[in-house]
PDB file of all heavy atoms in Angstrom:
ATOM      1  N   GLN A   1       0.840  -1.198   0.000  1.00 88.00           N
ATOM      2  CA  GLN A   1       0.000   0.000   0.000  1.00 88.00           C
ATOM      3  C   GLN A   1       0.873   1.246   0.000  1.00 88.00           C
ATOM      4  O   GLN A   1       1.953   1.267   0.611  1.00 88.00           O
ATOM      5  CB  GLN A   1      -0.927  -0.004   1.228  1.00 88.00           C
ATOM      6  CG  GLN A   1      -1.956   1.117   1.242  1.00 88.00           C
ATOM      7  CD  GLN A   1      -2.905   1.005   2.423  1.00 88.00           C
ATOM      8  OE1 GLN A   1      -2.881   0.011   3.166  1.00 88.00           O
ATOM      9  NE2 GLN A   1      -3.741   1.997   2.624  1.00 88.00           N
ATOM     10  N   ALA A   2       0.398   2.289  -0.683  1.00 88.00           N
ATOM     11  CA  ALA A   2       1.134   3.555  -0.740  1.00 88.00           C
ATOM     12  C   ALA A   2       0.562   4.528   0.287  1.00 88.00           C
ATOM     13  O   ALA A   2      -0.650   4.542   0.543  1.00 88.00           O
ATOM     14  CB  ALA A   2       1.038   4.160  -2.139  1.00 88.00           C
ATOM     15  N   PHE A   3       1.437   5.343   0.860  1.00 90.00           N
ATOM     16  CA  PHE A   3       1.031   6.302   1.885  1.00 90.00           C
ATOM     17  C   PHE A   3       1.602   7.676   1.558  1.00 90.00           C
ATOM     18  O   PHE A   3       2.676   7.788   0.965  1.00 90.00           O
ATOM     19  CB  PHE A   3       1.518   5.856   3.271  1.00 90.00           C
ATOM     20  CG  PHE A   3       0.844   4.610   3.785  1.00 90.00           C
ATOM     21  CD1 PHE A   3       1.366   3.358   3.495  1.00 90.00           C
ATOM     22  CD2 PHE A   3      -0.322   4.689   4.520  1.00 90.00           C
ATOM     23  CE1 PHE A   3       0.752   2.210   3.956  1.00 90.00           C
ATOM     24  CE2 PHE A   3      -0.948   3.551   4.989  1.00 90.00           C
ATOM     25  CZ  PHE A   3      -0.414   2.300   4.704  1.00 90.00           C
ATOM     26  N   GLY A   4       0.856   8.696   1.977  1.00 87.00           N
ATOM     27  CA  GLY A   4       1.331  10.054   1.796  1.00 87.00           C
ATOM     28  C   GLY A   4       2.209  10.526   2.931  1.00 87.00           C
ATOM     29  O   GLY A   4       2.929  11.514   2.802  1.00 87.00           O
ATOM     30  N   LEU A   5       2.178   9.797   4.088  1.00 90.00           N
ATOM     31  CA  LEU A   5       2.932  10.225   5.273  1.00 90.00           C
ATOM     32  C   LEU A   5       3.065   9.048   6.225  1.00 90.00           C
ATOM     33  O   LEU A   5       2.155   8.219   6.336  1.00 90.00           O
ATOM     34  CB  LEU A   5       2.217  11.392   5.972  1.00 90.00           C
ATOM     35  CG  LEU A   5       2.844  11.922   7.272  1.00 90.00           C
ATOM     36  CD1 LEU A   5       4.170  12.592   7.005  1.00 90.00           C
ATOM     37  CD2 LEU A   5       1.899  12.898   7.952  1.00 90.00           C
ATOM     38  N   ILE A   6       4.217   8.981   6.911  1.00 91.00           N
ATOM     39  CA  ILE A   6       4.430   7.989   7.975  1.00 91.00           C
ATOM     40  C   ILE A   6       4.664   8.745   9.271  1.00 91.00           C
ATOM     41  O   ILE A   6       5.518   9.636   9.337  1.00 91.00           O
ATOM     42  CB  ILE A   6       5.638   7.090   7.662  1.00 91.00           C
ATOM     43  CG1 ILE A   6       5.387   6.287   6.382  1.00 91.00           C
ATOM     44  CG2 ILE A   6       5.922   6.141   8.828  1.00 91.00           C
ATOM     45  CD1 ILE A   6       6.591   5.485   5.922  1.00 91.00           C
ATOM     46  N   LEU A   7       3.890   8.396  10.303  1.00 91.00           N
ATOM     47  CA  LEU A   7       4.007   8.996  11.640  1.00 91.00           C
ATOM     48  C   LEU A   7       4.432   7.891  12.577  1.00 91.00           C
ATOM     49  O   LEU A   7       3.696   6.919  12.786  1.00 91.00           O
ATOM     50  CB  LEU A   7       2.661   9.592  12.056  1.00 91.00           C
ATOM     51  CG  LEU A   7       2.622  10.447  13.320  1.00 91.00           C
ATOM     52  CD1 LEU A   7       3.432  11.716  13.141  1.00 91.00           C
ATOM     53  CD2 LEU A   7       1.194  10.790  13.676  1.00 91.00           C
ATOM     54  N   THR A   8       5.632   7.994  13.147  1.00 90.00           N
ATOM     55  CA  THR A   8       6.173   6.878  13.916  1.00 90.00           C
ATOM     56  C   THR A   8       6.708   7.308  15.273  1.00 90.00           C
ATOM     57  O   THR A   8       7.275   8.394  15.419  1.00 90.00           O
ATOM     58  CB  THR A   8       7.298   6.167  13.128  1.00 90.00           C
ATOM     59  OG1 THR A   8       7.872   5.130  13.942  1.00 90.00           O
ATOM     60  CG2 THR A   8       8.395   7.136  12.708  1.00 90.00           C
ATOM     61  N   ASP A   9       6.514   6.422  16.264  1.00 89.00           N
ATOM     62  CA  ASP A   9       7.150   6.614  17.565  1.00 89.00           C
ATOM     63  C   ASP A   9       8.644   6.356  17.402  1.00 89.00           C
ATOM     64  O   ASP A   9       9.074   5.656  16.466  1.00 89.00           O
ATOM     65  CB  ASP A   9       6.547   5.646  18.581  1.00 89.00           C
ATOM     66  CG  ASP A   9       6.940   6.004  20.009  1.00 89.00           C
ATOM     67  OD1 ASP A   9       7.433   7.133  20.236  1.00 89.00           O
ATOM     68  OD2 ASP A   9       6.757   5.167  20.897  1.00 89.00           O
ATOM     69  N   ARG A  10       9.442   6.923  18.280  1.00 86.00           N
ATOM     70  CA  ARG A  10      10.877   6.711  18.166  1.00 86.00           C
ATOM     71  C   ARG A  10      11.296   5.368  18.751  1.00 86.00           C
ATOM     72  O   ARG A  10      12.032   4.607  18.134  1.00 86.00           O
ATOM     73  CB  ARG A  10      11.631   7.840  18.875  1.00 86.00           C
ATOM     74  CG  ARG A  10      13.150   7.676  18.733  1.00 86.00           C
ATOM     75  CD  ARG A  10      13.926   8.615  19.629  1.00 86.00           C
ATOM     76  NE  ARG A  10      15.332   8.233  19.647  1.00 86.00           N
ATOM     77  CZ  ARG A  10      16.149   8.402  20.668  1.00 86.00           C
ATOM     78  NH1 ARG A  10      15.708   8.976  21.766  1.00 86.00           N
ATOM     79  NH2 ARG A  10      17.406   8.028  20.594  1.00 86.00           N
ATOM     80  N   ARG A  11      10.794   5.034  19.947  1.00 86.00           N
ATOM     81  CA  ARG A  11      11.185   3.784  20.620  1.00 86.00           C
ATOM     82  C   ARG A  11      10.127   2.732  20.314  1.00 86.00           C
ATOM     83  O   ARG A  11       8.979   2.837  20.738  1.00 86.00           O
ATOM     84  CB  ARG A  11      11.314   4.026  22.124  1.00 86.00           C
ATOM     85  CG  ARG A  11      11.939   2.854  22.892  1.00 86.00           C
ATOM     86  CD  ARG A  11      11.970   3.159  24.380  1.00 86.00           C
ATOM     87  NE  ARG A  11      12.792   4.302  24.680  1.00 86.00           N
ATOM     88  CZ  ARG A  11      14.104   4.247  24.876  1.00 86.00           C
ATOM     89  NH1 ARG A  11      14.731   3.095  24.780  1.00 86.00           N
ATOM     90  NH2 ARG A  11      14.788   5.344  25.144  1.00 86.00           N
ATOM     91  N   LEU A  12      10.519   1.685  19.560  1.00 89.00           N
ATOM     92  CA  LEU A  12       9.599   0.646  19.127  1.00 89.00           C
ATOM     93  C   LEU A  12      10.096  -0.721  19.588  1.00 89.00           C
ATOM     94  O   LEU A  12      11.283  -0.885  19.907  1.00 89.00           O
ATOM     95  CB  LEU A  12       9.460   0.671  17.608  1.00 89.00           C
ATOM     96  CG  LEU A  12       8.811   1.946  17.045  1.00 89.00           C
ATOM     97  CD1 LEU A  12       9.063   2.053  15.548  1.00 89.00           C
ATOM     98  CD2 LEU A  12       7.321   1.971  17.351  1.00 89.00           C
ATOM     99  N   PRO A  13       9.221  -1.733  19.605  1.00 92.00           N
ATOM    100  CA  PRO A  13       9.636  -3.053  20.102  1.00 92.00           C
ATOM    101  C   PRO A  13      10.807  -3.655  19.333  1.00 92.00           C
ATOM    102  O   PRO A  13      11.593  -4.408  19.905  1.00 92.00           O
ATOM    103  CB  PRO A  13       8.361  -3.908  19.933  1.00 92.00           C
ATOM    104  CG  PRO A  13       7.245  -2.927  19.946  1.00 92.00           C
ATOM    105  CD  PRO A  13       7.775  -1.697  19.313  1.00 92.00           C
ATOM    106  N   ASP A  14      10.926  -3.366  18.055  1.00 90.00           N
ATOM    107  CA  ASP A  14      12.011  -3.957  17.265  1.00 90.00           C
ATOM    108  C   ASP A  14      13.097  -2.937  16.920  1.00 90.00           C
ATOM    109  O   ASP A  14      13.757  -3.052  15.877  1.00 90.00           O
ATOM    110  CB  ASP A  14      11.470  -4.609  16.000  1.00 90.00           C
ATOM    111  CG  ASP A  14      10.514  -3.720  15.234  1.00 90.00           C
ATOM    112  OD1 ASP A  14      10.177  -2.633  15.747  1.00 90.00           O
ATOM    113  OD2 ASP A  14      10.097  -4.116  14.145  1.00 90.00           O
ATOM    114  N   GLY A  15      13.286  -1.950  17.789  1.00 86.00           N
ATOM    115  CA  GLY A  15      14.435  -1.067  17.616  1.00 86.00           C
ATOM    116  C   GLY A  15      14.085   0.406  17.649  1.00 86.00           C
ATOM    117  O   GLY A  15      12.922   0.797  17.553  1.00 86.00           O
ATOM    118  N   MET A  16      15.135   1.235  17.820  1.00 86.00           N
ATOM    119  CA  MET A  16      14.960   2.672  17.747  1.00 86.00           C
ATOM    120  C   MET A  16      14.752   3.056  16.285  1.00 86.00           C
ATOM    121  O   MET A  16      15.376   2.504  15.377  1.00 86.00           O
ATOM    122  CB  MET A  16      16.193   3.385  18.305  1.00 86.00           C
ATOM    123  CG  MET A  16      16.530   2.989  19.738  1.00 86.00           C
ATOM    124  SD  MET A  16      15.226   3.448  20.907  1.00 86.00           S
ATOM    125  CE  MET A  16      15.475   5.211  20.973  1.00 86.00           C
ATOM    126  N   ILE A  17      13.891   4.029  16.077  1.00 85.00           N
ATOM    127  CA  ILE A  17      13.503   4.354  14.701  1.00 85.00           C
ATOM    128  C   ILE A  17      14.690   4.858  13.891  1.00 85.00           C
ATOM    129  O   ILE A  17      14.781   4.601  12.684  1.00 85.00           O
ATOM    130  CB  ILE A  17      12.342   5.384  14.685  1.00 85.00           C
ATOM    131  CG1 ILE A  17      11.746   5.469  13.276  1.00 85.00           C
ATOM    132  CG2 ILE A  17      12.823   6.737  15.164  1.00 85.00           C
ATOM    133  CD1 ILE A  17      11.145   4.192  12.790  1.00 85.00           C
ATOM    134  N   GLU A  18      15.655   5.577  14.525  1.00 82.00           N
ATOM    135  CA  GLU A  18      16.780   6.079  13.745  1.00 82.00           C
ATOM    136  C   GLU A  18      17.645   4.940  13.198  1.00 82.00           C
ATOM    137  O   GLU A  18      18.334   5.101  12.194  1.00 82.00           O
ATOM    138  CB  GLU A  18      17.647   7.046  14.567  1.00 82.00           C
ATOM    139  CG  GLU A  18      18.172   6.481  15.872  1.00 82.00           C
ATOM    140  CD  GLU A  18      17.300   6.877  17.053  1.00 82.00           C
ATOM    141  OE1 GLU A  18      16.078   7.084  16.861  1.00 82.00           O
ATOM    142  OE2 GLU A  18      17.843   6.993  18.159  1.00 82.00           O
ATOM    143  N   ASP A  19      17.584   3.744  13.883  1.00 85.00           N
ATOM    144  CA  ASP A  19      18.330   2.583  13.391  1.00 85.00           C
ATOM    145  C   ASP A  19      17.586   1.861  12.276  1.00 85.00           C
ATOM    146  O   ASP A  19      18.203   1.146  11.484  1.00 85.00           O
ATOM    147  CB  ASP A  19      18.602   1.607  14.548  1.00 85.00           C
ATOM    148  CG  ASP A  19      19.460   2.230  15.638  1.00 85.00           C
ATOM    149  OD1 ASP A  19      20.327   3.063  15.291  1.00 85.00           O
ATOM    150  OD2 ASP A  19      19.259   1.900  16.820  1.00 85.00           O
ATOM    151  N   ARG A  20      16.261   2.039  12.214  1.00 87.00           N
ATOM    152  CA  ARG A  20      15.454   1.320  11.209  1.00 87.00           C
ATOM    153  C   ARG A  20      15.031   2.196  10.040  1.00 87.00           C
ATOM    154  O   ARG A  20      14.396   1.712   9.097  1.00 87.00           O
ATOM    155  CB  ARG A  20      14.193   0.739  11.882  1.00 87.00           C
ATOM    156  CG  ARG A  20      14.446  -0.152  13.092  1.00 87.00           C
ATOM    157  CD  ARG A  20      15.257  -1.389  12.749  1.00 87.00           C
ATOM    158  NE  ARG A  20      14.641  -2.236  11.754  1.00 87.00           N
ATOM    159  CZ  ARG A  20      13.760  -3.212  12.044  1.00 87.00           C
ATOM    160  NH1 ARG A  20      13.415  -3.435  13.311  1.00 87.00           N
ATOM    161  NH2 ARG A  20      13.244  -3.945  11.080  1.00 87.00           N
ATOM    162  N   LEU A  21      15.366   3.494  10.126  1.00 85.00           N
ATOM    163  CA  LEU A  21      14.952   4.404   9.048  1.00 85.00           C
ATOM    164  C   LEU A  21      15.460   3.981   7.669  1.00 85.00           C
ATOM    165  O   LEU A  21      14.710   4.074   6.689  1.00 85.00           O
ATOM    166  CB  LEU A  21      15.419   5.838   9.354  1.00 85.00           C
ATOM    167  CG  LEU A  21      14.490   6.672  10.238  1.00 85.00           C
ATOM    168  CD1 LEU A  21      15.152   7.995  10.577  1.00 85.00           C
ATOM    169  CD2 LEU A  21      13.154   6.925   9.551  1.00 85.00           C
ATOM    170  N   PRO A  22      16.715   3.515   7.542  1.00 86.00           N
ATOM    171  CA  PRO A  22      17.160   3.120   6.202  1.00 86.00           C
ATOM    172  C   PRO A  22      16.283   2.045   5.575  1.00 86.00           C
ATOM    173  O   PRO A  22      16.025   2.071   4.371  1.00 86.00           O
ATOM    174  CB  PRO A  22      18.590   2.622   6.441  1.00 86.00           C
ATOM    175  CG  PRO A  22      19.046   3.376   7.655  1.00 86.00           C
ATOM    176  CD  PRO A  22      17.826   3.487   8.522  1.00 86.00           C
ATOM    177  N   GLU A  23      15.795   1.078   6.384  1.00 88.00           N
ATOM    178  CA  GLU A  23      14.925   0.034   5.846  1.00 88.00           C
ATOM    179  C   GLU A  23      13.611   0.629   5.339  1.00 88.00           C
ATOM    180  O   GLU A  23      13.113   0.270   4.272  1.00 88.00           O
ATOM    181  CB  GLU A  23      14.620  -1.007   6.925  1.00 88.00           C
ATOM    182  CG  GLU A  23      15.822  -1.790   7.404  1.00 88.00           C
ATOM    183  CD  GLU A  23      15.450  -2.735   8.528  1.00 88.00           C
ATOM    184  OE1 GLU A  23      14.694  -3.683   8.265  1.00 88.00           O
ATOM    185  OE2 GLU A  23      15.894  -2.488   9.666  1.00 88.00           O
ATOM    186  N   ILE A  24      13.055   1.527   6.140  1.00 87.00           N
ATOM    187  CA  ILE A  24      11.784   2.138   5.754  1.00 87.00           C
ATOM    188  C   ILE A  24      11.964   2.987   4.508  1.00 87.00           C
ATOM    189  O   ILE A  24      11.167   2.916   3.561  1.00 87.00           O
ATOM    190  CB  ILE A  24      11.221   2.980   6.920  1.00 87.00           C
ATOM    191  CG1 ILE A  24      10.926   2.085   8.129  1.00 87.00           C
ATOM    192  CG2 ILE A  24       9.965   3.727   6.502  1.00 87.00           C
ATOM    193  CD1 ILE A  24      10.467   2.844   9.358  1.00 87.00           C
ATOM    194  N   LYS A  25      13.031   3.804   4.474  1.00 85.00           N
ATOM    195  CA  LYS A  25      13.240   4.703   3.344  1.00 85.00           C
ATOM    196  C   LYS A  25      13.552   3.932   2.064  1.00 85.00           C
ATOM    197  O   LYS A  25      13.260   4.409   0.971  1.00 85.00           O
ATOM    198  CB  LYS A  25      14.374   5.676   3.636  1.00 85.00           C
ATOM    199  CG  LYS A  25      14.104   6.637   4.797  1.00 85.00           C
ATOM    200  CD  LYS A  25      12.979   7.599   4.463  1.00 85.00           C
ATOM    201  CE  LYS A  25      13.379   8.644   3.480  1.00 85.00           C
ATOM    202  NZ  LYS A  25      12.325   9.660   3.257  1.00 85.00           N
ATOM    203  N   SER A  26      14.146   2.741   2.191  1.00 85.00           N
ATOM    204  CA  SER A  26      14.466   1.969   0.988  1.00 85.00           C
ATOM    205  C   SER A  26      13.205   1.537   0.259  1.00 85.00           C
ATOM    206  O   SER A  26      13.204   1.394  -0.965  1.00 85.00           O
ATOM    207  CB  SER A  26      15.303   0.747   1.363  1.00 85.00           C
ATOM    208  OG  SER A  26      14.550  -0.163   2.154  1.00 85.00           O
ATOM    209  N   GLY A  27      12.115   1.303   1.000  1.00 80.00           N
ATOM    210  CA  GLY A  27      10.872   0.879   0.374  1.00 80.00           C
ATOM    211  C   GLY A  27      10.012   2.030  -0.116  1.00 80.00           C
ATOM    212  O   GLY A  27       9.207   1.859  -1.029  1.00 80.00           O
ATOM    213  N   CYS A  28      10.151   3.182   0.504  1.00 85.00           N
ATOM    214  CA  CYS A  28       9.336   4.350   0.102  1.00 85.00           C
ATOM    215  C   CYS A  28      10.186   5.609   0.272  1.00 85.00           C
ATOM    216  O   CYS A  28       9.950   6.407   1.193  1.00 85.00           O
ATOM    217  CB  CYS A  28       8.057   4.432   0.926  1.00 85.00           C
ATOM    218  SG  CYS A  28       8.312   4.315   2.714  1.00 85.00           S
ATOM    219  N   PRO A  29      11.187   5.795  -0.582  1.00 84.00           N
ATOM    220  CA  PRO A  29      12.149   6.896  -0.397  1.00 84.00           C
ATOM    221  C   PRO A  29      11.529   8.280  -0.454  1.00 84.00           C
ATOM    222  O   PRO A  29      12.078   9.221   0.102  1.00 84.00           O
ATOM    223  CB  PRO A  29      13.149   6.686  -1.542  1.00 84.00           C
ATOM    224  CG  PRO A  29      12.409   5.874  -2.556  1.00 84.00           C
ATOM    225  CD  PRO A  29      11.481   5.000  -1.790  1.00 84.00           C
ATOM    226  N   GLU A  30      10.377   8.430  -1.138  1.00 83.00           N
ATOM    227  CA  GLU A  30       9.783   9.753  -1.300  1.00 83.00           C
ATOM    228  C   GLU A  30       8.737  10.074  -0.234  1.00 83.00           C
ATOM    229  O   GLU A  30       8.223  11.180  -0.188  1.00 83.00           O
ATOM    230  CB  GLU A  30       9.124   9.859  -2.686  1.00 83.00           C
ATOM    231  CG  GLU A  30      10.060   9.606  -3.855  1.00 83.00           C
ATOM    232  CD  GLU A  30      11.225  10.571  -3.882  1.00 83.00           C
ATOM    233  OE1 GLU A  30      11.029  11.731  -3.491  1.00 83.00           O
ATOM    234  OE2 GLU A  30      12.328  10.162  -4.264  1.00 83.00           O
ATOM    235  N   THR A  31       8.389   9.090   0.610  1.00 88.00           N
ATOM    236  CA  THR A  31       7.349   9.310   1.617  1.00 88.00           C
ATOM    237  C   THR A  31       7.927  10.049   2.822  1.00 88.00           C
ATOM    238  O   THR A  31       8.879   9.574   3.446  1.00 88.00           O
ATOM    239  CB  THR A  31       6.745   7.976   2.079  1.00 88.00           C
ATOM    240  OG1 THR A  31       6.260   7.256   0.945  1.00 88.00           O
ATOM    241  CG2 THR A  31       5.593   8.209   3.054  1.00 88.00           C
ATOM    242  N   PRO A  32       7.370  11.215   3.190  1.00 89.00           N
ATOM    243  CA  PRO A  32       7.886  11.949   4.352  1.00 89.00           C
ATOM    244  C   PRO A  32       7.580  11.205   5.651  1.00 89.00           C
ATOM    245  O   PRO A  32       6.587  10.486   5.756  1.00 89.00           O
ATOM    246  CB  PRO A  32       7.139  13.286   4.280  1.00 89.00           C
ATOM    247  CG  PRO A  32       5.932  13.023   3.459  1.00 89.00           C
ATOM    248  CD  PRO A  32       6.274  11.935   2.508  1.00 89.00           C
ATOM    249  N   ILE A  33       8.465  11.391   6.632  1.00 89.00           N
ATOM    250  CA  ILE A  33       8.351  10.700   7.922  1.00 89.00           C
ATOM    251  C   ILE A  33       8.415  11.716   9.049  1.00 89.00           C
ATOM    252  O   ILE A  33       9.304  12.566   9.076  1.00 89.00           O
ATOM    253  CB  ILE A  33       9.470   9.653   8.086  1.00 89.00           C
ATOM    254  CG1 ILE A  33       9.373   8.584   6.987  1.00 89.00           C
ATOM    255  CG2 ILE A  33       9.402   8.999   9.469  1.00 89.00           C
ATOM    256  CD1 ILE A  33      10.524   7.594   6.997  1.00 89.00           C
ATOM    257  N   ILE A  34       7.461  11.621   9.992  1.00 89.00           N
ATOM    258  CA  ILE A  34       7.483  12.422  11.218  1.00 89.00           C
ATOM    259  C   ILE A  34       7.783  11.474  12.376  1.00 89.00           C
ATOM    260  O   ILE A  34       7.115  10.455  12.547  1.00 89.00           O
ATOM    261  CB  ILE A  34       6.140  13.130  11.459  1.00 89.00           C
ATOM    262  CG1 ILE A  34       5.811  14.090  10.313  1.00 89.00           C
ATOM    263  CG2 ILE A  34       6.156  13.879  12.783  1.00 89.00           C
ATOM    264  CD1 ILE A  34       4.460  14.765  10.458  1.00 89.00           C
ATOM    265  N   VAL A  35       8.798  11.815  13.173  1.00 87.00           N
ATOM    266  CA  VAL A  35       9.155  11.016  14.340  1.00 87.00           C
ATOM    267  C   VAL A  35       8.570  11.672  15.590  1.00 87.00           C
ATOM    268  O   VAL A  35       8.763  12.864  15.813  1.00 87.00           O
ATOM    269  CB  VAL A  35      10.690  10.880  14.472  1.00 87.00           C
ATOM    270  CG1 VAL A  35      11.052  10.140  15.750  1.00 87.00           C
ATOM    271  CG2 VAL A  35      11.258  10.156  13.265  1.00 87.00           C
ATOM    272  N   VAL A  36       7.849  10.880  16.384  1.00 85.00           N
ATOM    273  CA  VAL A  36       7.235  11.361  17.629  1.00 85.00           C
ATOM    274  C   VAL A  36       7.987  10.736  18.792  1.00 85.00           C
ATOM    275  O   VAL A  36       8.192   9.527  18.829  1.00 85.00           O
ATOM    276  CB  VAL A  36       5.744  10.987  17.699  1.00 85.00           C
ATOM    277  CG1 VAL A  36       5.113  11.529  18.978  1.00 85.00           C
ATOM    278  CG2 VAL A  36       5.005  11.505  16.478  1.00 85.00           C
TER     279      VAL A  36
END
């Protein structure tokens, strides 16, 4: 599914978001991300 925006918590069960951002960006490089 395509999204216009991703809103994510920073501390997640499978890692800190800054460590997982490359994986997310690789699948949707143009989708903006807000970290909460």
Side-chain angles (χ1 to χ4, degrees):
Q1 187 176 353
F3 292 89
L5 177 67
I6 297 174
L7 189 66
T8 176
D9 193 15
R10 182 191 169 211
R11 190 182 297 274
L12 295 164
D14 48 354
M16 303 297 286
I17 193 62
E18 56 263 29
D19 298 327
R20 305 298 301 272
L21 274 174
E23 295 176 67
I24 297 176
K25 296 294 287 186
S26 66
C28 50
E30 302 301 326
T31 304
I33 299 174
I34 299 177
V35 176
V36 182

